[in-house]
Amino acid sequence: MFSMLTIDCRDVESIKSELVVYVSDQVAAIPTLKNHAFMLSSLDDQIIDKDVVITSIKEFLGSIGEGNNFAVISNNDVISIKSIYGKIIERDSLPNSDMFSCTHCGFLTRYEVELQNHMKLHYL
């Protein structure tokens, strides 16, 4: 159990933005995007269950039909997503600069208006 985990996404770079949103929602953690990875930090110093993170990554990969092509490998506080057969997921992904992120919880969206509406919820 860890309060911060790193998820290495080098082999699934094109779906990193979608994956970070899905996983952080599933485990109720604050995401931080890095170049080839993302980090999950716990809310209020709670412990992040690594097994739940691994399960949610596998669920996401399965939902896009890639569950059998990638392995999710855990090594201490780093979880790596590795291509089993050398396959690369081809997707048109937005550059990180086109994503808007909530400074309070890490919510990600492509639309600035959606982010503004989301942030209003923090002040209700």
Side-chain angles (χ1 to χ4, degrees), residues 111-123:
Y111 308 105
E112 187 174 12
V113 173
E114 185 178 9
L115 174 65
Q116 291 168 351
N117 288 333
H118 165 82
M119 288 185 72
K120 290 176 186 174
L121 295 173
H122 289 290
Y123 298 101

Side-chain angles (χ1 to χ4, degrees), residues 47-95:
I47 302 297
I48 299 174
D49 188 341
K50 191 170 27 171
D51 293 333
V52 174
V53 174
I54 291 169
T55 299
S56 64
I57 293 170
K58 288 179 179 180
E59 284 174 357
F60 182 83
L61 291 170
S63 74
I64 62 169
E66 296 291 348
N68 293 328
N69 296 319
F70 292 87
V72 182
I73 303 163
S74 171
N75 185 13
N76 294 323
D77 63 343
V78 177
I79 298 171
S80 300
I81 305 166
K82 294 291 185 188
S83 176
I84 296 172
Y85 306 108
K87 180 176 180 178
I88 295 174
I89 298 175
E90 299 288 339
R91 277 241 176 122
D92 293 333
S93 66
L94 292 174

